[in-house]
Each structure stands twice: as C-alpha cells, then as structure tokens.
Amino acid sequence: MDQDSHCAAERELLEAVSKITTSSTTTPSDAEQNPPRAEIPCQVRKENPDKDNLQVCNASLSPNSSMTTKELQEYWKNEKRQCRQAKLLFEITSTRIVEHHLSKYVMYKIIILQTGSFDSNKSVIERRYSDFEKLHRNLLEEFSEEMEDVTFPRKTITGNFTEEIINERKLAFKDYLRLLYSMKCIRRSKRFIDFLTRPELQEAYGCLRGGHYSKALEILLEVIGLQERLTRGNPVSIVPTLCAIVVCHKDLDNTASAFEYGEKALACLRVHTSHRYYIPLLETMITLAYELGKDFLSLQEKLEEWKARKDPIRLFTLKELAVREYVQ
C-alpha cells in the first residue's frame, strides 16, 4: 500500500471510531455499561493501563482498511468489549448465628456479582469472622506493603452477637473485600481466590469422592462461574474444576454435557500440553466423542502425537486425578 492509500485508510478508521464514540454516548444502556474512559481506544490510554488487557487489545487491533463503515463500527464495539475489564461487586446482605455444642459464631452471606451488566449468574457464599481473620493474616504475610493501611475489624471480648456489632461488621467486611479486590496483586493471588472458592470446592470434591455426583455437580457448577471471573487471564487454573464437572456428568450419563465441558477444558490447555490433566482429558474426550458419534480422529491424532514426543509414563485417569484434588 502506498503512502496516500495508507493515510486514507487511517482517516477512514479514525472517522469510524469517532462515529462509535458519538453514537455510544447517546444510548442510556451503553452509558451505564461503558464509563467515559472506555470510549478511548485501547492503544492510546494513558491513565493506569492494565498491562495484560492492553496487550490483548493491541494484539487484536488489525482492522482491514477495506471494511465498510458499518463493519468498522462493529469491529470497534467488539474491541471495546474485550478491553473493558470485568469488575466484581461484593455485597453482604444478611447474617445468621450458628450454634454448636461448644461454639457459636456468625456466618456472613456474601453476594458477588459483575458490574456493567445485568448479572444473572451472581455467586453466593458464606464466611465467618475467623475466615476473614485468616485471610487477613495470610495477606499480611505475602503483601505486607500493600496491606499496610488496610484496617480489619477487631474481635471484641463481649457483644460479638449484638445486632449493632454484626451490622458494623457487615459494612466493614464489604469495604474490606472491595478494597482487596481493587489491588491487582491481591485479587489475583491464590490466597484471595482460595478464600472465595476453596470451602465450596472442598465440599464438592468430598461429594465426588463419596460418589454423590449430583450434589458435587451442583456445587461445582456454582463455583466455576466465580472461578472464571476471578482468574481471567489464567484459564489453566480452572481446568481441574472443569474436569471434575466432566467426571460428574460422565458418571451421571450426561454424555453431551460432559463433552461440552471437556471442550472448554481442552481449549484452556491448547498451549499447555504438558499439563497433568491434558492426556487423561484427551483420552476421556475420545471416549465421549465415540459415544456421541462425533469425530474423534483429530483427538486421537493429538494423543498419538503427544505419545510420540514423550517417554511412556504411567498416567492417571481423569477420574483418578479428580478424586485426588483437595485431599487434606
């Protein structure tokens, strides 16, 4: 392309972006979902750019100059959707007092939902004061500098179960989670993610080991949505959960659903073929594809290719791997 043509293409692109920006500010629903900063093209943002989001944006900014104006508008709308980071909100809506023979404590109901859209897949978990306290202690060890000015509600000698103290802590824990999530290093840390997901995962894997596949599946399907939101940019971390869902569906004879989640797990491992779940997952997917009458030859080729490159070693089955997760 000569210099004149290149300049003309650039002008066309800038005009298209301008039209998108103008049109997006006139629609109320878009105004709610797209804060003003989101209207700036990703490659020219200067205010606190999120490095990995920026890389994703820059890697995909390759519009063809032969696109029509409508095509360019649609292209940039899609780009802005990808660049916009999903944000989570934490609400503590209610509490309940639990009494055992030798203990009494308050459980706080935490609702986690995504901003910028009507989130029908909100996550609901419960945690007690000691869970928050353990999280705070762990984060202080790992992120002492970042946690320097983060306050934590102290335990009182008396009055812990009064309505006043409980309401104060509800607000304090809500602000506490919001503040932790605002710090990228903490919201991506294993300890923060474990606080929000590990108790439910432990329960689910306990059910799986006990053969209670329906109950395990119910919990895993609740957790996977939250895991996906918390681990954006690190899809490999949710592979064990996806594979546990495959195992549950398979043992419940939900072959089509097992195959669907297996495809999601394989997509996460596309460039991680040395992962411990990769070959057991491939073998399971070949079986599922055969049962469903789907093409399994491409999966078989991947399996043979891997075996040709690696020394033969004993591998666990997918189910054997799953039941070993979260064994204390």
Side-chain angles (χ1 to χ4, degrees):
M1 181 184 292
D2 59 28
Q3 187 174 356
D4 290 342
S5 300
H6 183 75
C7 292
E10 286 188 346
R11 285 196 299 273
E12 181 183 1
L13 182 59
L14 290 172
E15 289 173 2
V17 174
S18 177
K19 290 180 179 179
I20 296 168
T21 306
T22 303
S23 62
S24 62
T25 57
T26 59
T27 307
S29 59
D30 283 346
E32 293 175 2
Q33 297 181 17
N34 298 317
R37 224 173 72 184
E39 300 299 336
I40 305 172
C42 299
Q43 77 272 30
V44 297
R45 284 181 182 164
K46 301 296 183 182
E47 302 173 2
N48 301 323
D50 189 322
K51 182 178 179 182
D52 46 357
N53 283 340
L54 191 60
Q55 288 174 342
V56 171
C57 297
N58 287 337
S60 57
L61 291 178
S62 56
N64 191 324
S65 61
S66 64
M67 286 182 178
T68 65
T69 300
K70 184 177 181 180
E71 288 172 337
L72 281 167
Q73 288 176 339
E74 187 61 32
Y75 174 87
W76 279 100
K77 284 180 182 178
N78 290 334
E79 288 302 323
K80 287 193 293 180
R81 268 187 225 112
Q82 291 179 16
C83 297
R84 196 165 53 243
Q85 182 188 2
K87 300 288 185 180
L88 298 183
L89 285 178
F90 298 87
E91 298 288 344
I92 299 181
T93 57
S94 62
T95 60
R96 62 187 179 93
I97 297 175
V98 178
E99 293 190 63
H100 291 302
H101 295 296
L102 300 174
S103 64
K104 180 180 179 181
Y105 53 87
V106 179
M107 294 294 289
Y108 297 86
K109 184 178 180 180
I110 307 167
I111 296 180
I112 308 164
L113 62 160
Q114 184 174 313
T115 62
S117 63
F118 293 103
D119 191 356
S120 60
N121 297 317
K122 63 186 179 183
S123 301
V124 181
I125 60 176
E126 282 189 317
R127 298 292 183 268
R128 54 188 291 188
Y129 181 94
S130 60
D131 296 324
F132 283 97
E133 192 175 39
K134 181 181 178 182
L135 170 66
H136 189 70
R137 188 168 57 250
N138 289 338
L139 291 177
L140 281 174
E141 291 178 4
E142 187 173 355
F143 305 102
S144 57
E145 186 176 342
E146 290 82 359
M147 295 289 292
E148 186 176 1
D149 297 323
V150 178
T151 58
F152 187 81
R154 295 181 179 180
K155 186 176 290 186
T156 58
I157 298 176
T158 59
N160 286 298
F161 302 101
T162 63
E163 183 177 353
E164 181 182 1
I165 293 295
I166 291 174
N167 286 333
E168 284 179 3
R169 286 184 177 168
K170 277 173 59 177
L171 295 174
F173 284 143
K174 172 187 171 180
D175 290 339
Y176 179 72
L177 290 173
R178 177 190 57 78
L179 182 57
L180 293 183
Y181 184 77
S182 70
M183 294 182 276
K184 184 166 66 173
C185 61
I186 291 179
R187 72 168 175 262
R188 293 184 175 181
S189 69
K190 184 179 185 302
R191 284 172 169 172
F192 182 68
I193 294 171
D194 278 353
F195 168 79
L196 296 171
T197 60
R198 189 178 180 90
E200 286 72 22
L201 287 171
Q202 287 178 321
E203 181 184 359
Y205 278 97
C207 293
L208 192 158
R209 285 188 287 273
H212 306 296
Y213 300 113
S214 294
K215 180 61 177 176
L217 182 60
E218 178 185 343
I219 301 170
L220 289 168
L221 290 175
E222 287 284 334
V223 175
I224 189 63
L226 178 56
Q227 272 190 307
E228 288 173 334
R229 297 172 190 182
L230 290 169
T231 60
R232 290 181 187 275
N234 184 24
V236 177
S237 62
I238 66 171
V239 166
T241 307
L242 289 172
C243 288
I245 293 173
V246 172
V247 169
C248 290
H249 274 308
K250 188 173 184 296
D251 279 42
L252 291 168
D253 295 323
N254 302 331
T255 309
S257 295
F259 189 82
E260 176 188 347
Y261 280 93
E263 284 187 314
K264 292 181 180 180
L266 273 181
C268 294
L269 295 177
R270 187 176 293 112
V271 294
H272 301 277
T273 57
S274 61
H275 195 280
R276 71 186 190 281
Y277 271 90
Y278 182 69
I279 294 305
L281 178 59
L282 264 183
E283 292 174 337
T284 300
M285 290 295 286
I286 290 169
T287 301
L288 293 171
Y290 179 79
E291 292 177 5
L292 292 169
K294 294 180 178 288
D295 174 29
F296 61 88
L297 293 179
S298 59
L299 296 171
Q300 187 70 47
E301 287 174 2
K302 290 179 182 178
L303 180 61
E304 296 301 327
E305 179 186 347
W306 187 93
K307 288 181 176 179
R309 289 188 288 108
K310 302 284 185 179
D311 294 330
I313 56 175
R314 185 192 182 282
L315 294 170
F316 293 112
T317 65
L318 196 67
K319 188 172 183 177
E320 287 173 337
L321 278 178
V323 298
R324 282 168 168 76
E325 295 283 349
Y326 293 95
V327 176
Q328 295 180 342

